[in-house]
Amino acid sequence: MTTLLMSDKTATVRRAPAAGGAARVNRPRDTNSHRVIRRRQLFAWLFIAPAIVYVAIFFGYPIVNNLTMSFQDFTTTTFYTGEAPWVGFDNYVSVVSSALFARLSVNTAVFTILSLAVTFVIGMLLALFFNAHFKLSGLLRSLILLPWLLPLIISAAVWRRMMDEGSGILNQILSSVGIGSVPWLTNPDVALFSIIIVNVWIGIPFTMVILYGGLQEIPTEYYEAASLDGATGWNSFRYITWPLLRPVVAVVLILGFVYTIRVLDIILALTGGGPANSTQTYATQAYQLSFVDFKFGVGAALSNILIVVSLLVAALQLRTSRRSNDLAG
Amino acid sequence: MTTHTAPTRTAPRRTAPTRTAPRRTAPRRTAVLALAAALPMILLAGCSSAAEESTEGKTIELSVLDYYTDEPSHSNMEKRLTACAADVDATIDHQSVPSPQLNAKILQQISTKTLPDILMVNNPDLPQFAETGALRPLTELDVDTSAFYPSVLEVGKYKDELYGLAPNVNSLALFYNKTMLDEAGVAVPTTWDELGAAAATLTQGDRYGFAYSAASGTEGTWTFIPFLWSNGGSQLELDAPEAIEALDFYTGLARDGYVSKSVVNWSQADAKDQFTSGLAAMMINGPWQIPSLEETEGLEWGSTTIPVPAAGDTPIAPLGGELWTVPVTTPDREARAASVIECLNGPENQLETALTNNTVPSNESVAQELIAQAPLMESIVETVSTANSLTSDSGLKWNDVNAALSAAIQAAVTGQQTPEEALKTAQSTVGE
């Protein structure tokens, strides 16, 4: 919608010097075109209006509300009396200065970056694998979508059983091979990585499907031409697939990042943030503060920090990918 | 002088409209848009401001909110409510939401001033809701509470005012597998030393001697509270020697291998599953598990009060239960709601609920009657007589205590911190 407006504006700018060049002849037409442009702008706004209203009600209002709430002492009493005293940055200070904050930040970073990296690499390899058509590839590809089709709470509950230290199937298999049992969800040093494993398992189908779609778009002629010049295997990936896939990769990474950093259900179902806060992230702690402890102000402050972090990273990713696209193009 | 210059200064402004004339359409349009956006809110506001008229002497409908969504609990409760409401010339509009959504629903109703006439809250949440001022103290409504266990009345109190009555309460007890104890020649433990020794002897092969829930959240915390309190500890002094000693004993059983370290992920239902499948010989759990224990074929089980630090000590367990409260409405509605609650708490209703839900009646004589009819409940009735409300010492701080203590228990079970370090960390977050 904004592009519509912008192209309209650039049109006026471009037309202006031409009009200036033949001022005498064009004067009547000039005012006429002004009116046309204005009317066109009016229609543009009318077309945008439903979207603006929608965004304002469903995105603008909650975000503004969350912002104001984070500067208030907003408790259960507020719901009844409507009184929420302004406390300035107190909520932010109490979030950042809490003993848990450093741990939350490390957990959130490790969880998000590792999940995203591993999911991306495996998703990419699978997409490349399925791009080489072979018998049953369609069937296998749809089977890989399975994690996506299951409700998250159910798959997390199954994983929790599988990862049980004593009776879980993972440890049964490991000990039958002679490796011994792994305290998947019970050891504070291991639990976060176990959750990353589950998150990767859930994230692979999405990554693979989008990347596979991107691969399908690349014309095979390029590969044929390149193979005549002797570029096959790694070289064809390095010089044809990767540059052409870049826009898709950017989408996968940005969406993946935003989806991963706010993961809540998997963690709650697997460990509830434990043991001993070792799997507590910004998202789970914000949930805990707001909806378990009823400290709505502090919870809002933490979720705003989460929003800012994901916005910053998304903007950064967009910029770098755009720049590299420009370079590539 | 100033009056003379003023008009001239404003003069150019008057001409301004002609300059901005073409733009005039834009603000008008935004105004219409704003109105369209505000329309649903205006309509909503219109709904909530229903006129209040006198209901004295007329048949009225009392709305009720609870979390009994399961059958037959829902229809059983509706039957009891309807019968009680008939005494005060009222009908019942009974709504139930799933328990995880109850608090959110109550908060939403508090903010829109649409609380029901009769409201059920879970006991640890009472201080939060009573603090808002949206609930009427039952003492102001002449509710007779003379037959109640004093400990049960404490559950419904906030700042010395009674806000809620629990017809039935539950608590925790030690459940044991009779067959396993007999085979190992172990007597039913009554003290910590005996419990530790029994757990050690009963741990054989892939079977653990003892199990409890240490999951993140209330289930894991309240299972530990009997050990904290029976040793003279307090939820507000987590780094006191009594608390450290209690946590050391409790989690030491896991560090020594008599309790699975997986307990940090076990809910109370998980602990029960381990017990019924023979993977744990004893467990701390509540009487609501009795139906599953009875259903398990070949399981010979017994229960007793939770072991105490030394012989002769009194076990102090936390009380749980659903409290019936009266939100602030009109005097007539409040009075009728209070009588419905009084009736719900009547002896017959209490006994019936106790028998169907495996809970303990809050009326002492009814509780004795329950033991006669259901001997399996004896240990839990005994526990209730000396129990305390879960939040009796922490009150509004319960949520902080809960989170901090939960992390401390898990850190000590997994050996990440010593019990002393873990509780010092916990106390520092609660003390903030």
Side-chain angles (χ1 to χ4, degrees):
Chain A
M1 286 141 278
T2 37
T3 45
L4 177 69
L5 271 181
M6 267 156 60
S7 64
D8 224 25
K9 253 180 225 160
T10 47
T12 358
V13 173
R14 260 183 222 149
R15 230 173 278 157
R24 205 177 35 149
V25 191
N26 277 341
R27 190 175 286 163
R29 223 201 283 164
D30 190 23
T31 52
N32 191 28
S33 73
H34 259 289
R35 201 173 292 157
V36 169
I37 289 162
R38 207 152 272 150
R39 177 178 290 184
R40 210 184 273 168
Q41 268 180 347
L42 190 147
F43 272 106
W45 278 108
L46 271 181
F47 278 116
I48 299 166
I52 290 184
V53 171
Y54 177 80
V55 169
I57 293 179
F58 291 100
F59 295 93
Y61 175 72
I63 286 177
V64 170
N65 214 4
N66 208 45
L67 261 180
T68 50
M69 195 187 269
S70 70
F71 293 106
Q72 288 174 312
D73 182 18
F74 202 104
T75 60
T76 40
T77 315
T78 311
F79 282 88
Y80 189 62
T81 57
E83 284 165 21
W86 295 96
V87 291
F89 281 92
D90 279 8
N91 289 333
Y92 289 93
V93 170
S94 81
V95 164
V96 175
S97 66
S98 94
L100 209 56
F101 188 71
R103 170 139 225 187
L104 291 180
S105 308
V106 172
N107 285 351
T108 311
V110 169
F111 175 75
T112 311
I113 293 168
L114 258 184
S115 289
L116 199 56
V118 178
T119 312
F120 181 77
V121 170
I122 297 179
M124 184 63 146
L125 290 175
L126 281 173
L128 288 169
F129 177 65
F130 283 114
N131 200 34
H133 292 280
F134 53 90
K135 270 187 181 174
L136 292 181
S137 74
L139 178 75
L140 283 175
R141 202 151 39 86
S142 37
L143 279 181
I144 283 197
L145 290 182
L146 212 61
W148 217 8
L149 304 178
L150 292 173
L152 274 186
I153 293 293
I154 293 179
S155 31
V158 173
W159 273 102
R160 199 168 75 96
R161 291 265 157 148
M162 286 173 29
M163 287 179 157
D164 188 273
E165 192 175 351
S167 53
I169 190 165
L170 290 187
N171 278 350
Q172 305 263 349
I173 293 173
L174 286 182
S175 51
S176 73
V177 181
I179 297 177
S181 67
V182 177
W184 296 105
L185 298 171
T186 48
N187 187 320
D189 300 325
V190 180
L192 188 61
F193 297 99
S194 307
I195 287 184
I196 291 174
I197 292 176
V198 178
N199 193 47
V200 165
W201 177 80
I202 289 168
I204 284 174
F206 170 80
T207 316
M208 191 202 78
V209 164
I210 309 256
L211 289 176
Y212 178 79
L215 287 176
Q216 297 275 296
E217 291 294 307
I218 301 175
T220 46
E221 289 85 359
Y222 292 168
Y223 295 103
E224 285 158 11
S227 72
L228 287 180
D229 293 338
T232 50
W234 169 250
N235 275 338
S236 79
F237 176 80
R238 169 77 182 75
Y239 294 106
I240 303 172
T241 314
W242 185 250
L244 288 173
L245 204 57
R246 216 164 221 160
V248 181
V249 168
V251 168
V252 166
L253 286 183
I254 291 168
L255 285 182
F257 179 83
V258 175
Y259 284 154
T260 311
I261 199 169
R262 51 128 231 228
V263 162
L264 175 71
D265 32 21
I266 304 171
I267 301 180
L268 284 187
L270 279 172
T271 61
N277 292 323
S278 60
T279 54
Q280 203 81 265
T281 63
Y282 285 163
T284 59
Q285 183 66 11
Y287 172 83
Q288 168 85 21
L289 285 169
S290 292
F291 300 109
V292 181
D293 298 351
F294 298 137
K295 291 179 187 161
F296 297 95
V298 189
L302 184 54
S303 44
N304 283 337
I305 293 178
L306 176 65
I307 292 172
V308 167
V309 169
S310 31
L311 272 181
L312 277 181
V313 174
L316 203 77
Q317 264 174 345
L318 265 179
R319 240 183 97 193
T320 46
S321 75
R322 194 177 296 150
R323 192 178 296 160
S324 52
N325 267 352
D326 291 348
L327 288 177
Chain B
M1 289 280 268
T2 43
T3 43
H4 273 284
T5 52
T8 49
R9 234 197 273 155
T10 49
R13 243 191 247 162
R14 239 179 253 155
T15 59
T18 48
R19 236 197 289 156
T20 53
R23 251 198 268 154
R24 215 193 269 155
T25 46
R28 201 184 289 162
R29 225 176 300 128
T30 38
V32 172
L33 283 181
L35 196 75
L39 195 64
M41 288 159 213
I42 295 168
L43 288 175
L44 276 179
C47 290
S48 59
S49 63
E52 282 176 9
E53 50 192 78
S54 170
T55 50
E56 212 96 5
K58 293 180 200 157
T59 304
I60 56 168
E61 187 181 69
L62 293 172
S63 50
V64 181
L65 179 68
D66 62 28
Y67 65 33
Y68 299 115
T69 46
D70 295 346
E71 287 301 349
S73 315
H74 182 81
S75 35
N76 281 345
M77 185 47 75
E78 188 152 313
K79 244 181 265 164
R80 271 175 233 137
L81 284 165
T82 312
C84 287
D87 297 343
V88 287
D89 199 14
T91 56
I92 290 291
D93 172 26
H94 183 204
Q95 273 198 31
S96 301
V97 295
S99 62
Q101 287 153 36
L102 181 69
N103 284 346
K105 176 96 180 167
I106 296 174
L107 286 176
Q108 179 219 329
Q109 291 184 333
I110 287 180
S111 66
T112 51
K113 308 268 191 283
T114 52
L115 277 174
D117 298 299
I118 298 170
L119 172 69
M120 192 214 81
V121 302
N122 209 357
N123 76 89
D125 304 319
L126 180 80
Q128 300 283 346
F129 296 131
E131 169 80 10
T132 64
L135 303 180
R136 179 73 68 198
L138 293 180
T139 20
E140 291 175 19
L141 297 167
D142 294 328
V143 175
D144 178 28
T145 55
S146 52
F148 280 66
Y149 278 114
S151 56
V152 174
L153 285 182
E154 283 302 318
V155 177
K157 279 187 186 168
Y158 173 66
K159 288 190 178 161
D160 292 332
E161 287 271 27
L162 183 72
Y163 284 95
L165 275 184
N168 297 76
V169 287
N170 53 50
S171 190
L172 294 165
L174 179 77
F175 291 80
Y176 54 89
N177 186 317
K178 275 185 186 165
T179 325
M180 291 178 186
L181 262 68
D182 288 346
E183 273 170 11
V186 174
V188 177
T190 56
T191 63
W192 286 7
D193 285 345
E194 289 173 22
L195 179 62
T201 319
L202 289 164
T203 302
Q204 285 165 19
D206 61 355
R207 180 183 86 196
Y208 288 95
F210 187 40
Y212 48 74
S213 161
S216 301
T218 311
E219 284 191 39
T221 322
W222 97 307
T223 311
F224 167 67
I225 296 294
F227 293 86
L228 175 73
W229 280 350
S230 301
N231 202 35
S234 155
Q235 291 174 4
L236 293 177
E237 287 164 30
L238 292 176
D239 53 354
E242 294 87 358
I244 293 169
E245 202 185 358
L247 189 67
D248 191 30
F249 168 72
Y250 186 72
T251 57
L253 295 172
R255 288 193 299 275
D256 291 342
Y258 308 142
V259 169
S260 166
K261 284 191 175 163
S262 296
V263 291
V264 293
N265 285 312
W266 285 356
S267 64
Q268 288 168 304
D270 293 326
K272 182 262 301 172
D273 287 343
Q274 299 287 322
F275 183 77
T276 52
S277 53
L279 293 170
M282 301 182 288
M283 67 166 176
I284 302 287
N285 226 317
W288 59 91
Q289 308 287 15
I290 290 178
S292 330
L293 300 185
E294 288 290 273
E295 273 168 24
T296 310
E297 261 175 60
L299 177 68
E300 291 275 324
W301 63 275
S303 75
T304 182
T305 54
I306 292 175
V308 287
D313 288 350
T314 313
I316 309 174
L319 282 177
E322 291 89 15
L323 294 163
W324 291 96
T325 64
V326 178
V328 173
T329 51
T330 62
D332 180 45
R333 285 184 166 272
E334 284 173 16
R336 296 201 213 193
S339 352
V340 172
I341 287 177
E342 204 170 359
C343 164
L344 271 187
N345 283 279
E348 277 168 33
N349 276 327
Q350 284 195 359
L351 189 62
E352 199 189 319
T353 318
L355 287 169
T356 46
N357 298 355
N358 290 289
T359 49
V360 178
S362 42
N363 180 315
E364 286 194 71
S365 53
V366 181
Q368 295 309 314
E369 175 66 28
L370 176 72
I371 297 180
Q373 292 197 25
L376 291 175
M377 296 291 291
E378 186 173 352
S379 64
I380 205 80
V381 171
E382 203 181 316
T383 305
V384 165
S385 63
T386 58
N388 268 338
S389 164
L390 177 60
T391 58
S392 56
D393 45 7
S394 52
L396 273 179
K397 276 203 155 184
W398 163 249
N399 285 323
D400 293 333
V401 170
N402 192 12
L405 194 52
S406 176
I409 295 170
Q410 295 189 330
V413 166
T414 54
Q416 205 190 30
Q417 284 179 306
T418 65
E420 189 175 353
E421 287 165 359
L423 285 173
K424 284 208 164 116
T425 315
Q427 183 62 34
S428 68
T429 43
V430 174
E432 269 169 19

